[in-house]
Amino acid sequence: MTSEETVADPGSGAVAAQREPGQWILVLDFGSQFTQLIARRIRELRVYCEIHPFDLDPARIREWRPAGIVLSGGPMSVHEEGSPHPSAALFDVPEPILGICYGMQLLAQVEGGEVRPGHSREYGRAPLLVENPLGPLAGFEEGEEISVWMSHGDSIHSVPHHYVRYGVSTDGAIAAFGNPETRRFGVQFHPEVAHTERGEEMLANFVFDVCGCEPTWTMASFVDRAVAAVRARIGDGLAVCGLSGGVDSAVAAALVHRAIGDRLTCIFVDTGVLRKGEREQVERTFREHLHFRLQVVDATKRFLADLEGVIDPEEKRRRIGHRFIEVFEEAAGELGEVDFLVQGTLYPDVIESLSVRGPSATIKTHHNVGGLPEEMRLAVVEPLRELFKDEVRQVGRELGLPEEILERHPFPGPGLAIRVLGEVTRERLDVLREVDAIYLQEIRAAGLYESIWQAFAVLLPVRAVGVMGDARTYESVVALRAVTSRDGMTADWFPFPYDVLGRISNRIINQVRGVNRVTYDVSSKPPATIEWE
């Protein structure tokens, strides 16, 4: 099996199992970095939502029978050469359509309206004046002004025939329109982002009132369908799971274990780039408490040898990804005829790793996705591939996993290798492990752990002058990172009380040999990412 074939398999059958004809929403991705948020907001309405590329064959749409279609935003102009244009047959389907930003401009162009290049790009908060409270704006007041989030260059100069203007921006630009007879609507702004007032209400109007969906999609229903799909996919075969001890792989393992029982063996690879005590905790939790079949492989020397002299973070990820799969296949080979590899890949991993949907930009690779070797013997099963982190936690609760696992902060597949900036050595890893352990201990002691989406330490490739006792020191600098987030796609830095930061810094400098300076990262995502590499 090639990695390309693996990526093309959307959830190993678990995704298709969630599609109830006439009761789910299809999002076509034109490249917006907000596309996944559309799906997220619709799922929060308890309606299943799935994202596919803009050029999805309309025959598939007829076969799958969604209740409605959303056309996402995108970074290009509808007039730009090479801009994404779907098959003309898409607009012959009977399902309701909601165009957002680029999707609205495309809908206007196809339906006979006029879209003109803007003289300047409109980005950020903008006021919307409601002219006709219909379609997505049903329930609003005529003449009401609300704040919305814009991100566009082109503007709609005239609406298509039989379309009605629903709202305009303060400069008179068309910001919302629709044709109730054909059930096609468009909004120039992004209702899916938190900055748009009553955005959820707008999406609910489309999903429930226009498309006729019922709020019946729950994590319990997801589990039932996903288990059945995994059981059908694996059949009588054997599977191994890449267990890391984190939330994602634990939930993936539990779901597959419910489907096939002891025909699943969890393999934990000690890569040498794990947090302090990680291996011991995994063995205690999964072998002794949950009674999973668990095989532990110590491959520390092999991973560290692969990383010797490597500085580039993408190269670190690629090498770890390749070695990870190699070790897995070796361990699986000792179990007999194993054909399936279970991974806890989540939606943000897919979005940020490969442009597998619309023409969006690749931000970074992830060893579960972008680091797969060209040829891989095991078929990949990724039952959580279309879920966000908090949805995965809900699935874990449905499966009976303990909270100490479900509430753990995210931990990257490449581990501490991408938190040791610069060359990765055993000595530098040991320093970072001690720093990270103290940091998390103090956060828990302050009662702040559950208020933070993710907290970790980074060992910087610089040294600083310091004074300890009467001696001059020239030692390492660490950066602390803590963010709040809803789903990891956007994040704000966490405002620690000064006394907590002071205690953390004091303990690290006093107790970790080789560190004499502690800094705190106050960057948000975007423009920064959560991880440093």
Side-chain angles (χ1 to χ4, degrees), residues 268-272 279 296-302:
F268 177 79
V269 177
D270 188 344
T271 61
R279 175 173 171 174
V296 176
V297 180
D298 188 347
T300 298
K301 292 182 180 179
R302 296 165 70 180

Side-chain angles (χ1 to χ4, degrees), residues 7 26 62 71 144 146 169 181 197 241 250 345 380 426 452:
V7 171
L26 168 65
R62 294 188 179 92
L71 311 180
E144 181 179 357
I146 59 174
S169 56
E181 292 185 8
E197 288 184 64
C241 178
T345 308
V380 175
R426 190 182 296 271
I452 297 171

Side-chain angles (χ1 to χ4, degrees), residues 280-429:
E280 294 77 10
Q281 183 183 35
V282 166
E283 291 189 275
R284 182 173 61 253
T285 300
F286 292 93
R287 180 178 285 153
E288 298 176 15
H289 295 170
L290 297 177
H291 307 294
F292 283 20
R293 291 187 63 182
L294 177 64
Q295 180 175 338
V296 176
V297 180
D298 188 347
T300 298
K301 292 182 180 179
R302 296 165 70 180
F303 279 93
L304 294 186
D306 289 339
L307 293 169
E308 186 174 354
V310 178
I311 303 298
D312 179 68
E314 288 299 278
E315 183 62 22
K316 291 179 184 178
R317 290 174 182 271
R318 280 189 289 271
R319 292 194 181 198
I320 290 172
H322 280 250
R323 180 64 71 184
F324 197 75
I325 297 297
E326 180 182 288
V327 171
F328 254 87
E329 291 196 328
E330 290 176 2
E334 299 174 2
L335 300 174
E337 293 298 320
V338 176
D339 296 312
F340 296 93
L341 170 63
V342 178
Q343 290 193 149
T345 308
L346 303 193
Y347 210 21
D349 298 333
V350 176
I351 293 295
E352 291 198 351
S353 300
L354 292 171
S355 188
V356 298
R357 303 298 193 191
S360 56
T362 297
I363 298 173
K364 63 185 178 182
T365 58
H366 182 281
H367 88 258
N368 280 355
V369 183
L372 293 176
E374 292 183 2
E375 297 294 332
M376 187 175 64
R377 185 181 64 79
L378 298 177
V380 175
V381 176
E382 297 174 315
L384 311 177
R385 185 183 177 89
E386 301 292 325
L387 296 185
F388 293 95
K389 177 71 75 172
D390 67 325
E391 292 175 330
V392 171
R393 288 191 169 105
Q394 293 175 48
V395 168
R397 293 185 179 98
E398 290 290 335
L399 295 168
L401 289 176
E403 287 297 315
E404 65 177 353
I405 294 176
L406 298 178
E407 290 303 323
R408 293 190 71 184
H409 290 177
F411 189 65
L416 298 182
I418 57 168
R419 293 177 179 174
V420 171
L421 274 57
E423 185 176 4
V424 179
T425 66
R426 190 182 296 271
E427 293 73 24
R428 299 189 75 208
L429 285 166

